[in-house]
Amino acid sequence: MEEQLKRKLLQKGESMLVDLVKKGFGLLKTALKKYKIQNEEMLYITDQADHVFSSYMEQGVYDKIGNICEEGFFDSIVEYSLDSSKYDIDVYINELLGQRENMDDNDREIIISFFHKIRDIIVEAQIMYGIKDSENKIISKQIQAVQKSIDKYSLNNIEHNPTCIIGILACDANDSRTKELLGLQECHLLNLNEFISKLEDVQEIVDRIEVFKATLNNDISYKVKLACSYSIAYLAGAVFSQKISNLTFTNRDNEWKIGKAEKIKLSCKTNCGNNEKNVNVAITVGTTSYIDDDVRLFIGAQKSLITIHYDANIQSSEQFNAIGNEITKRLKKIALDCDVHGPINIFYRGPVEIMFLLGQKSYDFGQCTIFEYNFKERDIKKKTYTKGITY
């Protein structure tokens, strides 16, 4: 009899919690309806918000949010999120909560964390899909699929391993990648824009990367987004070293996690020349548009040139790691076989994330100089390579 009563009370509690969640999602929907939001953006917001609502419900803490969300919190957070000039969301939510004697610090943190996540989703949606009008508000047609999101709740989606998005930025382009990274919290962004034209300041860059690395937590999985030169990516990888394994790289629609590797074959043609001080290596990954001719034109006809090609697109994390491993083996062999006395000159075209991997493994093959191609030069006759970092 006692067990039946417990079950009934538990079921009643779960039912009340689900009702609270549905009510909260309905209030979020009402708040979003006040603004014009694109269809794709709305689908993204509701899908991502679904995970947040579910997580808090499954942890049994959603009642903390449910108790205050009728006070216009969703309206305030949505409005706040659409103003891109405002960033300190935690302080803002604290102000909304005001002085509440019946709210302890833990409850306050739960509420702040929840609405912070909702705000991050809306900001991320703006970056991905947002078209802004003269009042800086995102434009769209209608809200869809909210009820579907409510129906998808499950008690099996709780996040045991929290994930955090971090960015490495050294890019002056006014594109979606740069805007997305600038939208991250300051503590989650390694902004090296001041070094775009000062790659010779290697130690200063290393110090900045070291400071950022020290803020990372081994208990958190990080999704890394890169918008930077090959030199910066390589240097970041070298500073992070192979001890950092809880990283997943996000490249457009792909995600590549550091870890296991499959077996692959690289195409490699070696000509070490006559014991030159430096050896030139042209590496091309994920394309058949090789850089061999451009590099040869830059270094001259008499210099040694070793080419490494991998034509296929990267389809999996295992393939991603395999490419890093195999190129590392080739560079190590080149350093030994070619009697290299100076840095290996690396010329590269491919996903910038591969350069991060090579930086992580750089202690296996020694000092390198990374050369950058000036893609932005409009005059095709002036397109050439410039010296990047030596490390």
Side-chain angles (χ1 to χ4, degrees):
M1 188 71 176
E2 186 178 346
E3 287 300 320
Q4 288 180 343
L5 182 59
K6 283 183 179 179
R7 277 199 298 272
K8 284 183 179 178
L9 288 172
L10 184 61
Q11 289 171 356
K12 186 177 180 182
E14 288 178 351
S15 176
M16 289 173 64
L17 193 56
V18 170
D19 289 342
L20 268 179
V21 172
K22 288 185 177 181
K23 198 169 189 179
F25 218 116
L27 290 169
L28 173 61
K29 172 183 173 181
T30 301
L32 290 169
K33 274 186 174 180
K34 295 180 180 179
Y35 302 92
K36 298 176 181 178
I37 299 177
Q38 297 180 91
N39 182 44
E40 296 90 345
E41 189 169 6
M42 191 61 243
L43 289 173
Y44 178 83
I45 292 171
T46 53
D47 182 61
Q48 296 300 312
D50 171 65
H51 297 299
V52 178
F53 276 83
S54 295
S55 175
Y56 279 74
M57 182 181 75
E58 290 152 14
Q59 294 176 71
V61 294
Y62 184 79
D63 61 309
K64 312 296 184 187
I65 294 95
N67 288 335
I68 57 97
C69 68
E70 288 189 18
E71 300 175 25
F73 261 70
F74 283 110
D75 294 58
S76 300
I77 298 304
V78 171
E79 184 176 4
Y80 187 97
S81 303
L82 299 181
D83 186 344
S84 60
S85 67
K86 296 179 180 178
Y87 292 102
D88 202 343
I89 184 69
D90 294 358
V91 172
Y92 179 68
I93 299 170
N94 248 323
E95 291 174 356
L96 289 178
L97 291 172
Q99 300 296 325
R100 297 179 182 234
E101 295 179 0
N102 62 338
M103 182 178 293
D104 60 31
D105 290 342
N106 184 58
D107 289 357
R108 186 177 289 264
E109 285 182 15
I110 289 170
I111 293 167
I112 290 172
S113 175
F114 175 85
F115 284 105
H116 192 139
K117 289 178 181 179
I118 297 298
R119 191 261 180 173
D120 285 348
I121 290 168
I122 296 170
V123 170
E124 192 167 276
Q126 286 184 82
I127 293 166
M128 293 173 67
Y129 304 107
I131 303 171
K132 295 181 179 180
D133 63 17
S134 59
E135 295 180 350
N136 204 35
K137 292 178 180 176
I138 50 178
I139 300 169
S140 184
K141 293 182 179 179
Q142 58 183 350
I143 297 173
Q144 290 188 356
V146 174
Q147 190 58 48
K148 285 185 180 179
S149 295
I150 295 173
D151 295 338
K152 287 194 300 183
Y153 288 135
S154 165
L155 295 177
N156 301 315
N157 292 330
I158 189 166
E159 295 180 12
H160 297 288
N161 297 313
T163 300
C164 177
I165 296 175
I166 59 175
I168 300 176
L169 176 65
C171 178
D172 57 7
N174 187 26
D175 58 18
S176 58
R177 291 181 311 155
T178 304
K179 291 177 181 177
E180 180 180 4
L181 294 191
L182 288 173
L184 294 175
Q185 295 180 55
E186 187 176 340
C187 61
H188 294 157
L189 176 62
L190 175 57
N191 191 337
L192 299 172
N193 272 350
E194 64 193 87
F195 297 103
I196 290 173
S197 57
K198 296 194 299 181
L199 292 176
E200 69 278 5
D201 298 339
V202 174
Q203 191 54 52
E204 288 186 49
I205 302 172
V206 167
D207 291 345
R208 288 279 293 276
I209 299 171
E210 287 281 11
V211 170
F212 182 76
K213 176 189 172 185
T215 66
L216 302 184
N217 188 331
N218 288 330
D219 295 328
I220 295 177
S221 297
Y222 292 97
K223 286 190 176 182
V224 186
K225 296 190 176 184
L226 302 177
C228 60
S229 65
Y230 295 141
S231 290
I232 294 292
Y234 182 89
L235 199 57
V239 174
F240 271 57
S241 80
Q242 296 187 60
K243 294 179 182 179
I244 300 293
S245 59
N246 53 335
L247 304 179
T248 300
F249 294 94
T250 302
N251 177 301
R252 295 187 177 88
D253 296 328
N254 300 307
E255 285 193 352
W256 304 319
K257 182 176 176 60
I258 290 179
K260 295 181 180 179
E262 62 183 39
K263 291 184 178 180
I264 62 165
K265 287 185 179 181
L266 299 177
S267 172
C268 185
K269 187 180 292 184
T270 303
N271 176 13
C272 289
N274 300 315
N275 291 327
E276 297 178 58
K277 183 179 179 181
N278 300 102
V279 172
N280 304 294
V281 183
I283 304 170
T284 309
V285 173
T287 176
T288 54
S289 179
Y290 300 150
I291 59 175
D292 305 2
D293 292 341
D294 290 334
V295 175
R296 174 59 71 193
L297 189 64
F298 177 74
I299 65 175
Q302 303 305 315
K303 298 286 185 178
S304 66
L305 178 60
I306 299 167
T307 60
I308 298 174
H309 300 151
Y310 186 77
D311 298 346
N313 289 322
I314 303 173
Q315 301 293 331
S316 66
S317 295
E318 290 77 10
Q319 195 175 9
F320 172 72
N321 291 296
I323 293 169
N325 291 345
E326 290 303 312
I327 294 177
T328 298
K329 289 178 186 176
R330 295 286 183 175
L331 291 175
K332 185 176 181 180
K333 191 173 190 307
I334 289 166
L336 293 172
D337 293 352
C338 296
D339 193 24
V340 176
H341 300 290
I344 298 174
N345 294 333
I346 293 182
F347 303 82
Y348 176 75
R349 177 184 291 166
V352 67
E353 293 78 9
I354 292 293
M355 289 303 288
F356 186 100
L357 273 191
L358 294 183
Q360 278 193 305
K361 302 169 185 294
S362 59
Y363 294 100
D364 289 349
F365 48 82
Q367 193 178 49
C368 289
T369 297
I370 309 300
F371 283 80
E372 305 284 349
Y373 193 72
N374 58 340
F375 290 101
K376 291 184 178 180
E377 176 57 58
R378 292 178 179 274
D379 187 344
I380 192 170
K381 294 180 181 179
K382 295 181 181 179
K383 283 183 179 290
T384 188
Y385 284 94
T386 56
K387 189 176 181 180
I389 62 106
T390 298
Y391 190 74

